[in-house]
Amino acid sequence: MFVDEHQILVPPETSQPAVLHTKKEKYARKLAFSQFVDSVKAVTACLGGLETATQLAVCCHNNYTHLTALHRHIATIHKEEINKKTEEILENGFSEAKWKVLRKPHKKNETSDCVSQLHLVAGHEVLEDLLPPERTELKEMSSQDIDNHKDGQILLFYKYRDIAETDAIKSWQLELCQRLQLTGKIRIASEGINATVGGSLNNTQLYMAYFIKHPLFRNMELQDFKTSKGSSQDFTGLSVGIHEEIVPLGISPNQLNPSDAGQHLTPQQFHKALTDFKLNPANNSDVVFVDCRNFYESKIGEFEGALTPDLRKFSYWPEYVDQNEGLFSDKDVYMYCTGGIRCERGSAYLKNKGVCRNVYQLEGGIHKYIEKYPDGFFRGKLFVFDKRFSIQSNEDVLAKCIYCDVSWDSYELCSSQGCHQLVLSCHSCRTQGHTACCQTCQLRPEHLQKEQCQCTTRRQRIPLH
């Protein structure tokens, strides 16, 4: 939420009409400020793309990389322009219908910037400001480019932020992705948004630019998005849904908040901690690095020496912590995951147990770490939740074919129609028909339902250390 640093005129009377007019002034001023910020952000974000990812806005011939500095500049230098725009909005911009939407009451525990929350539904002209032209006007990728991942990109990002109007955000995301011909998965909840989408390089850059134009997400920057080579073909389609949690931990956001998370460490800080741990293992018995991803992710890539719990789902993490408190007691704990989102509430849960000396988490996850250190301490492949299954930053192969034990780390889905387990079966074994995750699936591929195979039934739900 942007901060208005200047006072609204105090109404001369305390009667209801005067108070109502003051509310209109406040909303009009916020909207005027918002529109001014958009006017200096949009060109840089849309045209600069990733080449100018550190340049958020240009105003008065100065480059701004942080919203706080930009807002302070606008509030100080462009005060008269904001005042003039506010007057214009009050005179022309508030129809009775729009005012009713803007003054819609919110619950006390929800975000207070309701002009931002309702920016989408305040009027069609505001919605169009947050969307590109119709998709027929945009350049589409050729089938050859799609097949080769040429000029294609996949984005991975999340943002914890109170969202009162989740339906409005869902509608906006659907329309935005459809116009930009993006596919992927987007989870929206009252606590924030979690997304991974793919498409052409140009259209994914446009997506980022339009996303950070939204009033709810103006404090995000382009470097908050993790990027990798890919395309719209790496997803089965577009899924945008409203959920209770943006990553399923099984605990209500009202009971566990990411504001209680462990201290964020940059990839450089995390790398230094790993270096110290590697150089002096005997002096670091009170330090533990822990992977809070699923077992099939750490199986193909990990930080050597880290604790990799044999968990099938992230929702098992609280039980794992409860039953293995001794692992973390009076220790400095360094957590990591793919992009950082699971560590937010995962570290909050561990921290709230009160047994650790300190809890840290890798900011941006392994994804950002291997961008900075492609041949660093993370070895093997980074598992991703799309048809690619993994991203490779080094040549190490940590896993083996489950049938012949040859080094192999390329996943395929189990050939049993209802199973959906991931299988490590090398080319040679697959040509011999070994395409299932276990003997049960191999013999009864048409009858098996999800999570009924040997891979699930024989796995210990919560491993004890």
Side-chain angles (χ1 to χ4, degrees):
M1 171 183 175
F2 55 79
V3 178
D4 180 6
E5 298 181 2
H6 298 272
Q7 296 294 322
I8 304 298
L9 293 175
V10 177
E13 302 289 341
T14 58
S15 61
Q16 185 61 35
V19 174
L20 182 63
H21 180 70
T22 301
K23 287 184 177 180
K24 282 189 177 183
E25 283 183 336
K26 289 180 179 179
Y27 289 132
R29 188 173 185 80
K30 286 184 177 182
L31 192 55
F33 196 97
S34 168
Q35 290 174 354
F36 194 97
V37 172
D38 280 348
S39 71
V40 297
K41 282 182 62 179
V43 173
T44 301
C46 290
L47 298 183
L50 295 183
E51 295 179 357
T52 58
T54 58
Q55 186 177 346
L56 179 67
V58 177
C59 191
C60 298
H61 305 291
N62 294 318
N63 295 333
Y64 291 89
T65 58
H66 297 284
L67 282 172
T68 302
L70 175 63
H71 288 173
R72 187 181 300 114
H73 165 80
I74 293 173
T76 304
I77 304 301
H78 299 281
K79 176 181 177 181
E80 294 304 321
E81 294 165 80
I82 300 298
N83 288 341
K84 183 178 179 180
K85 183 64 178 176
T86 301
E87 292 175 1
E88 292 176 358
I89 291 174
L90 285 170
E91 292 175 3
N92 307 312
F94 277 97
S95 65
E96 188 61 28
K98 183 181 292 187
W99 171 238
K100 287 180 179 179
V101 172
L102 288 174
R103 65 191 291 263
K104 179 182 177 181
H106 287 251
K107 296 178 181 179
K108 187 174 182 180
N109 62 345
E110 292 176 345
T111 182
S112 60
D113 53 329
C114 46
V115 66
S116 297
Q117 291 282 3
L118 297 168
H119 211 58
L120 283 172
V121 293
H124 178 71
E125 73 281 1
V126 180
L127 175 60
E128 287 303 315
D129 286 343
L130 297 171
L131 293 170
E134 293 291 345
R135 60 180 176 179
T136 53
E137 300 177 35
L138 296 169
K139 178 183 177 182
E140 296 190 20
M141 295 177 68
S142 68
S143 58
Q144 182 178 359
D145 284 350
I146 289 174
D147 292 339
N148 295 332
H149 283 181
K150 182 181 178 182
D151 194 34
Q153 184 170 244
I154 287 180
L155 308 177
L156 175 67
F157 71 96
Y158 69 92
K159 180 64 177 178
Y160 277 102
R161 202 261 188 254
D162 289 342
I163 299 177
E165 302 293 334
T166 52
D167 287 331
I169 298 299
K170 176 182 177 180
S171 298
W172 169 55
Q173 282 295 293
L174 278 169
E175 184 67 21
L176 180 59
C177 290
Q178 288 169 357
R179 290 195 186 190
L180 293 173
Q181 302 130 52
L182 304 184
T183 59
K185 306 170 186 176
I186 301 174
R187 292 177 65 98
I188 301 166
S190 60
E191 65 173 352
I193 186 169
N194 177 21
T196 177
V197 295
S200 71
L201 180 61
N202 178 68
N203 287 2
T204 51
Q205 287 180 341
L206 283 171
Y207 175 89
M208 290 187 285
Y210 280 103
F211 192 90
I212 62 177
K213 281 183 66 178
H214 193 286
L216 291 182
F217 307 111
R218 282 209 179 95
N219 63 343
M220 290 184 67
E221 300 177 0
L222 294 178
Q223 53 262 40
D224 292 327
F225 296 82
K226 275 76 72 173
T227 62
S228 56
K229 291 183 179 180
S231 77
S232 60
Q233 299 300 299
D234 290 314
F235 299 93
T236 55
L238 176 64
S239 172
V240 183
I242 298 176
H243 305 265
E244 184 181 10
E245 305 170 83
I246 56 176
V247 62
L249 182 61
I251 301 175
S252 170
N254 295 327
Q255 297 176 309
L256 185 66
N257 195 292
S259 62
D260 296 328
Q263 181 181 338
H264 286 222
L265 298 182
T266 65
Q268 295 93 322
Q269 292 171 322
F270 200 83
H271 184 76
K272 183 180 184 305
L274 281 164
T275 302
D276 294 341
F277 180 72
K278 292 286 187 181
L279 291 177
N280 302 293
N283 297 329
N284 286 282
S285 58
D286 56 351
V287 173
V288 59
F289 287 82
V290 60
D291 191 337
C292 62
R293 300 177 300 157
N294 302 322
F295 78 91
Y296 51 84
E297 299 175 74
S298 57
K299 194 171 186 176
I300 63 172
E302 65 178 14
F303 286 106
E304 186 180 357
L307 180 64
T308 55
D310 194 20
L311 299 176
R312 193 169 63 85
K313 295 180 179 180
F314 178 56
S315 57
Y316 295 172
W317 171 255
E319 292 179 66
Y320 174 78
V321 170
D322 292 347
Q323 297 184 33
N324 292 277
E325 283 189 12
L327 287 174
F328 311 110
S329 181
D330 200 29
K331 292 182 180 179
D332 290 334
V333 180
Y334 294 80
M335 294 178 60
Y336 65 89
C337 60
T338 305
I341 187 170
R342 281 178 279 188
C343 284
E344 297 286 4
R345 296 178 73 220
S347 67
Y349 186 86
L350 178 59
K351 186 178 175 182
N352 287 345
K353 297 295 289 185
V355 298
C356 304
R357 190 166 60 194
N358 294 292
V359 179
Y360 305 98
Q361 66 182 83
L362 174 56
E363 187 173 76
I366 304 168
H367 210 302
K368 282 295 185 181
Y369 178 87
I370 61 176
E371 287 179 16
K372 184 71 177 177
Y373 302 101
D375 200 33
F377 290 114
F378 183 82
R379 311 310 301 173
K381 291 180 177 178
L382 171 61
F383 184 92
V384 291
F385 291 90
D386 56 58
K387 290 181 181 179
R388 298 172 302 166
F389 291 126
S390 64
I391 298 173
Q392 186 169 358
S393 65
N394 57 75
E395 300 299 322
D396 290 7
V397 179
L398 305 188
K400 294 182 178 182
C401 171
I402 62 172
Y403 289 101
C404 70
D405 272 353
V406 68
S407 293
W408 189 258
D409 61 4
S410 295
Y411 277 118
E412 296 285 349
L413 287 175
C414 177
S415 55
S416 179
Q417 294 180 3
C419 176
H420 305 292
Q421 296 278 7
L422 292 167
V423 183
L424 289 172
S425 178
C426 68
H427 285 308
S428 176
C429 289
R430 293 190 73 83
T431 57
Q432 298 176 44
H434 300 306
T435 57
C437 64
C438 63
Q439 191 72 6
T440 301
C441 283
Q442 195 74 43
L443 297 176
R444 302 176 55 197
E446 69 282 359
H447 300 296
L448 198 66
Q449 296 299 312
K450 186 178 181 180
E451 299 182 359
Q452 289 184 335
C453 68
Q454 292 175 2
C455 296
T456 301
T457 57
R458 69 189 177 195
R459 178 174 300 283
Q460 186 178 8
R461 177 184 170 91
I462 306 297
L464 301 178
H465 296 274

